[in-house]
Amino acid sequence: MDTASASRSTTVVTRTFNATLPLAGAVLEQPTEAELRDVRCFKYADYDYAYGQCENDYVRHVLDCIPVLNKHKRVLIDIKVHDLKPSNVPCVPGWHLDGSINPQGLPKKPETLTIFVTGCMALTKFLDEPIKLDVPEGLNFAAMNRVCARMIPKDHPTHTISSCQFATYNDTYFHTGTAARGVERRLLVRTTETDIIKPQNRIYTPHTHV
């Protein structure tokens, strides 16, 4: 490999992630056990489809209250319910970014997300302070996600979101699911405001990692 090729292969760009804490929004009441029965789950469903098909008054109340910026073409909805036991994790463990993988490399502006989690046994954690990482040029979003996640120090301060409070962030915010500390039925509702991701209007079965 010549010198110019070697230089190009190691070119990095310093990027800042988690520039601020997620924006904290309204707080809703904890649902009762009865209110979380018979919840239909979805991933990247169209807002109106999810609202009409979820058949759950508490979830509809969350969707009524969730903040939406309306700066993108679509507002897509995730609704996930997990029956957790101690040490269960309601998502793939480890630091990650949300947002479109964007395999076609389409131009996109930062995607906005808002998350809402009930209960107290497995609340989502974000980085508590900004972090600057040297990112190799030319990586797509998925590859950047994996590479940068491995760079985050284990002792980097973290911030746990509050239960039943909306938290708004974008696709430059690393966060992670946490292992359940006890038995709990956990509801997550999340919006993704995007120009890239297409709706997936079908019922979805969430996976629990044990």
Side-chain angles (χ1 to χ4, degrees):
M1 180 182 292
D2 60 32
T3 304
S5 298
S7 176
R8 286 195 298 271
S9 67
T10 56
T11 300
V12 297
V13 176
T14 301
R15 296 194 55 179
T16 300
F17 297 91
N18 297 72
T20 64
L21 291 177
L23 179 63
V27 179
L28 304 185
E29 291 185 4
Q30 287 284 350
T32 64
E33 184 175 328
E35 286 174 321
L36 289 187
R37 290 180 190 147
D38 303 321
V39 178
R40 287 181 171 178
C41 298
F42 307 93
K43 184 174 178 64
Y44 292 144
D46 176 80
Y47 180 96
D48 291 336
Y49 179 87
Y51 194 96
Q53 294 293 319
C54 72
E55 296 188 349
N56 182 280
D57 289 341
Y58 184 84
V59 173
R60 285 177 175 156
H61 176 55
V62 174
L63 292 175
D64 283 334
C65 297
I66 202 163
V68 176
L69 298 184
N70 283 317
K71 294 183 178 179
H72 293 75
K73 294 178 183 177
R74 305 177 193 93
V75 179
L76 304 181
I77 303 297
D78 292 358
I79 299 171
K80 301 179 184 181
V81 171
H82 292 88
D83 288 308
L84 298 174
K85 298 177 182 178
S87 80
N88 287 173
V89 184
C91 66
V92 177
W95 295 111
H96 63 277
L97 304 169
D98 288 338
S100 168
I101 296 174
N102 195 17
Q104 296 177 321
L106 300 173
K108 75 165 189 172
K109 54 190 174 184
E111 292 164 322
T112 301
L113 304 104
T114 297
I115 192 172
F116 177 90
V117 178
T118 65
C120 61
M121 293 298 178
L123 293 169
T124 303
K125 286 186 177 181
F126 285 77
L127 299 182
D128 190 53
E129 297 175 353
I131 188 169
K132 292 182 182 293
L133 299 175
D134 291 334
V135 183
E137 275 193 329
L139 297 181
N140 63 26
F141 185 82
M144 180 189 70
N145 201 340
R146 291 192 299 271
V147 169
C148 291
R150 292 195 292 265
M151 298 181 190
I152 298 172
K154 291 183 179 179
D155 60 352
H156 195 91
T158 61
H159 165 77
T160 302
I161 64 170
S162 296
S163 180
C164 288
Q165 182 173 29
F166 297 111
T168 300
Y169 56 105
N170 66 29
D171 55 8
T172 65
Y173 279 61
F174 277 100
H175 56 288
T176 182
T178 58
R181 296 180 291 106
V183 175
E184 180 176 79
R185 170 161 275 209
R186 175 189 191 261
L187 167 70
L188 175 146
V189 178
R190 178 172 53 215
T191 58
T192 301
E193 300 185 51
T194 179
D195 298 325
I196 305 294
I197 305 172
K198 300 294 179 62
Q200 300 176 27
N201 290 340
R202 57 180 179 270
I203 294 175
Y204 163 80
T205 301
H207 181 68
T208 300
H209 296 263
V210 298

